[in-house]
């Protein structure tokens, strides 16, 4: 059973206790915990306590390797919370957190804590020159973060929802009817199209599991992300919208910000991508409050229908643009995160696609997560054969362990690059 995530108060208490006891091992562990929690998308509340910790660490004898992890992490937390860092604030009280219960409690001010905090802030109230020096140090730290983020490797996420209820022959029949409708000729049975769509939407709009945690982790990583999926569920785009991630879909949707590098590539289409029966243009519906069978094309006002493809043969229906972009994403990415890769015979062409991509690529690291041992063994053997020099991470009890391992590896890589 997966452990409960550590509370924010517990994480901060670990740092405060480590500083009070000058336990550098505990402080380093706390720095990693804070960094991991930040990269899961957690919104921090105890910003004043974090500011106190930041200022103390900067101006006291703390190993540089810990400062390199802890200081940039706290700065980003404060920045994302629109929190202004001030150095002349007089500290009136010091909070202690209950380690046994993991809850925050206000306690009486202790003389030794005031002395400890006073030492940390003396340097900020002595002179105007000292203030200017601190501002310069802060600017240098921010520049370090920008340099580290700019060198972040491209990351690929591949996700298959693993639904066993999808009958691709039904999608094939639907696609045939849709193609007949596109031919501008009248065909018997066209009026059954909406009924087919209603049936298929109930099948393909499966709930997604685990992948939302990976998305939340990469939201704050500032990497170029390519999200390739064989799922046809609109729940994926719903998750991206709920987490405030702007994304591109080739020839379907462009981001409002040209600097956004999050490409979403649905290899088999999506139930909420609609293709026009007249001009063949595609649009994405992001209003998830109602179920929709057909929409009006924003380009020519004709009827548009869900753009779904069947793949249960070696002659699949597909949008070649999606498949080309998916292959490009595999080839250019240095890190692959493979979640629930397919192995059933209905998707044989997909794991053949992944095999071909591995033969054409040189990723540095591959993370595999699946609850099914036969899938894990199959893809472990595949990558060991096609990519013998690639680091492979696969033994994760749950998706949280994968995310934590990924964050630790990224921190280690950045430190190694600097030193």
């Amino acid at each position: 059973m997966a452990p409960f995530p550590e509370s924010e108060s517990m994480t901060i208490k670990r740092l405060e206790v480590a500083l009070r006891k000058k336990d550098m091992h505990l402080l380093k562990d706390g720095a990693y915990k804070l960094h991991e929690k930040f990269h899961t998308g957690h919104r921090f509340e105890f910003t004043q306590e974090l500011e106190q910790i930041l200022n103390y660490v900067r101006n006291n004898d703390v190993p540089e390797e810990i400062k390199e992890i802890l200081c940039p992490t706290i700065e980003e937390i404060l920045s994302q919370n629109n929190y202004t860092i001030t150095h002349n604030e007089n500290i009136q009280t010091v909070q202690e957190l209950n380690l046994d219960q993991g809850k925050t409690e206000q306690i009486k001010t202790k003389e030794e804590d005031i002395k400890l905090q006073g030492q940390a802030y003396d340097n900020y109230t002595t002179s105007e020159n000292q203030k200017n020096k601190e501002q310069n140090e802060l600017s240098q730290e921010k520049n370090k973060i920008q340099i580290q983020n700019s060198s972040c490797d491209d990351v690929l996420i591949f996700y298959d929802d693993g639904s066993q209820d999808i009958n691709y022959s039904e999608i094939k029949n639907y696609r045939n009817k849709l193609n007949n409708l596109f031919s501008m000729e009248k065909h018997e049975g066209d009026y059954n199209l909406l009924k087919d769509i209603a049936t298929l939407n109930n099948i393909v709009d499966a709930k997604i599991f685990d992948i939302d945690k990976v998305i939340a982790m990469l939201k704050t990583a500032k990497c170029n992300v390519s999200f390739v999926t064989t799922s046809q569920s609109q729940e994926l785009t719903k998750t991206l919208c709920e987490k405030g991630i702007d994304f591109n879909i080739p020839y379907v949707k462009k981001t409002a910000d040209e600097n956004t590098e999050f490409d979403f590539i649905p290899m088999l289409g999506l139930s909420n991508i609609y293709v026009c029966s007249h001009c063949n243009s595609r649009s994405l519906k992001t209003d998830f409050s109602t179920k929709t069978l057909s929409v009006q094309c924003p380009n020519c006002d004709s009827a548009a229908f869900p753009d779904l493809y069947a793949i249960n043969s070696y002659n699949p229906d597909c949008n070649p643009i999606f498949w080309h972009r998916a292959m490009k994403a595999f080839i250019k990415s240095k890190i692959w995160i493979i979640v629930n890769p397919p192995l059933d015979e209905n998707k044989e062409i997909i794991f053949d696609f992944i095999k071909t991509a591995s033969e054409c690529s040189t990723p540095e690291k591959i993370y595999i997560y699946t609850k099914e041992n036969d899938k894990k063994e199959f893809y472990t053997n595949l990558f060991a054969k096609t990519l013998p020099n690639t680091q492979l991470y696969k033994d994760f009890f749950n998706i949280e362990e994968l995310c934590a391992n990924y964050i630790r590896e990224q921190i280690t890589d950045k430190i190694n690059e600097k030193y």
Side-chain angles (χ1 to χ4, degrees):
M1 188 172 181
F4 288 103
E6 182 176 89
S7 67
E8 176 185 340
S9 59
M10 181 72 78
T11 302
I12 294 175
K13 178 62 178 177
R14 179 184 284 103
L15 294 171
E16 291 178 338
V17 170
L19 289 174
R20 189 177 300 111
K21 295 183 176 180
K22 296 185 178 181
D23 185 337
M24 295 301 108
H25 179 76
L26 181 61
L27 183 63
K28 184 176 181 179
D29 181 60
Y32 277 110
K33 291 287 186 182
L34 183 70
H35 192 88
E36 291 174 10
K37 194 167 193 67
F38 171 61
H39 280 284
T40 62
H42 177 76
R43 186 76 174 180
F44 284 80
E45 298 179 5
F46 298 100
T47 49
Q48 183 178 1
E49 288 77 7
L50 287 172
E51 183 193 5
Q52 294 172 5
I53 293 169
L54 173 64
N55 291 326
Y56 180 81
V57 169
R58 279 206 192 113
N59 293 276
N60 285 270
D61 188 17
V62 174
E64 284 298 320
E65 63 174 359
I66 298 179
K67 286 186 178 181
E68 287 293 331
I69 300 169
L70 188 55
C71 292
T73 301
I74 297 179
E75 286 171 2
E76 284 213 60
I77 292 171
L78 299 181
S79 174
Q80 290 200 3
N81 282 272
N82 295 321
Y83 189 89
T84 303
I85 301 175
T86 59
H87 301 303
N88 295 322
E89 181 181 0
N90 293 322
I91 304 303
Q92 302 297 328
T93 60
V94 177
Q95 289 185 332
E96 279 199 3
L97 308 173
N98 191 317
L99 272 176
D100 294 329
Q101 299 179 359
K103 298 179 180 178
T104 307
E105 295 180 356
Q106 291 287 352
I107 63 169
K108 295 181 180 180
T109 304
K110 294 184 179 180
E111 232 178 33
E112 60 269 24
D113 288 278
I114 294 176
K115 186 181 295 184
L116 181 64
Q117 295 296 331
Q119 293 172 355
Y121 292 98
D122 281 344
N123 293 332
Y124 297 108
T125 56
T126 54
S127 68
E128 192 65 30
N129 290 335
Q130 186 63 32
K131 297 176 191 175
N132 294 335
K133 179 181 177 182
E134 176 58 32
Q135 290 298 325
N136 290 334
E137 290 177 355
L138 178 60
S139 177
Q140 291 174 4
E141 291 290 342
K142 289 181 177 178
N143 289 336
K144 290 176 184 178
I145 297 171
Q146 291 174 354
I147 292 171
Q148 290 173 346
N149 288 335
S150 64
S151 63
C152 186
D153 293 326
D154 290 341
V155 178
L156 165 86
I157 306 173
F158 176 86
Y159 172 72
D160 178 66
D161 57 22
S163 175
Q164 302 296 321
D165 299 327
I166 297 176
N167 186 341
Y168 285 101
S169 63
E170 293 183 11
I171 298 179
K172 182 76 172 178
N173 292 335
Y174 162 72
R175 194 74 206 187
N176 289 338
K177 292 180 181 180
L178 195 60
N179 291 338
N180 287 336
L181 184 64
F182 288 2
S183 70
M184 305 297 181
E185 298 179 6
K186 292 184 178 180
H187 296 272
E188 294 183 3
D190 286 347
Y191 297 105
N192 292 325
L193 193 63
L194 295 181
K195 182 179 179 182
D196 293 341
I197 294 171
T199 301
L200 291 178
N201 281 351
N202 289 331
I203 296 174
V204 302
D205 283 337
K207 295 292 183 181
I208 60 173
F209 299 98
D210 297 322
I211 195 64
D212 58 321
K213 298 179 179 65
V214 179
I215 292 172
M217 173 186 71
L218 291 177
K219 178 183 177 181
T220 58
K222 298 183 180 179
C223 295
N224 299 331
V225 178
S226 297
F227 191 129
V228 177
T229 183
T230 51
S231 172
Q232 297 172 307
S233 174
Q234 67 173 341
E235 292 293 321
L236 288 171
T237 50
K238 182 179 179 181
T239 298
L240 293 174
C241 291
E242 288 176 344
K243 293 188 178 299
I245 297 176
D246 199 4
F247 55 94
N248 298 294
I249 300 179
Y251 291 92
V252 177
K253 177 186 179 299
K254 291 185 178 180
T255 61
D257 182 2
E258 293 182 356
N259 295 321
T260 298
E261 293 292 343
F262 198 110
D263 294 322
F264 184 84
I265 307 168
M267 292 180 67
L268 310 184
L270 282 180
S271 63
N272 61 324
I273 292 179
Y274 292 84
V275 56
C276 178
S277 59
H278 180 71
C279 68
N280 207 39
S281 63
R282 289 166 171 80
S283 59
L284 180 73
K285 176 180 174 291
T286 54
D287 177 10
F288 304 100
S289 60
T290 59
K291 292 186 176 181
T292 305
L293 305 181
S294 177
V295 300
Q296 191 173 24
C297 174
N299 186 48
C300 71
D301 294 334
S302 298
F305 304 96
D307 193 26
L308 300 172
Y309 300 91
I311 57 161
N312 58 335
S313 70
Y314 271 89
N315 185 27
D317 294 320
C318 73
N319 182 336
I321 293 172
F322 290 161
W323 286 57
H324 293 162
R325 296 296 177 87
M327 180 62 73
K328 178 182 177 181
F330 271 93
I331 292 173
K332 75 173 184 177
S333 298
K334 295 299 182 182
I335 299 174
W336 294 1
I337 301 176
I338 311 293
V339 179
N340 195 37
L343 195 57
D344 57 290
E345 62 181 22
N346 281 336
K347 295 181 179 178
E348 187 175 355
I349 193 171
I350 298 298
F351 59 74
D352 186 72
F353 178 93
I354 296 175
K355 178 177 181 292
T356 302
S358 69
E359 293 171 343
C360 302
S361 310
T362 56
E364 296 174 359
K365 298 178 181 179
I366 298 178
Y367 297 80
I368 302 175
Y369 176 71
T370 176
K371 296 179 181 179
E372 301 176 45
N373 289 330
D374 56 340
K375 289 184 177 182
K376 182 190 298 185
E377 183 178 357
F378 176 86
Y379 283 94
T380 297
N381 293 335
L382 169 63
F383 294 137
K385 182 177 180 180
T386 59
L387 296 165
N389 297 322
T390 298
Q391 297 181 49
L392 193 60
Y393 305 88
K394 57 185 176 61
D395 295 319
F396 303 111
F397 180 72
N398 52 43
I399 200 69
E400 288 85 356
E401 283 190 10
L402 184 151
C403 293
N405 183 283
Y406 174 86
I407 292 170
R408 283 196 299 271
E409 286 294 315
Q410 289 299 96
I411 294 172
T412 301
D413 288 349
K414 288 181 180 180
I415 293 174
N416 289 340
E417 285 176 7
K418 182 164 184 178
Y419 296 100

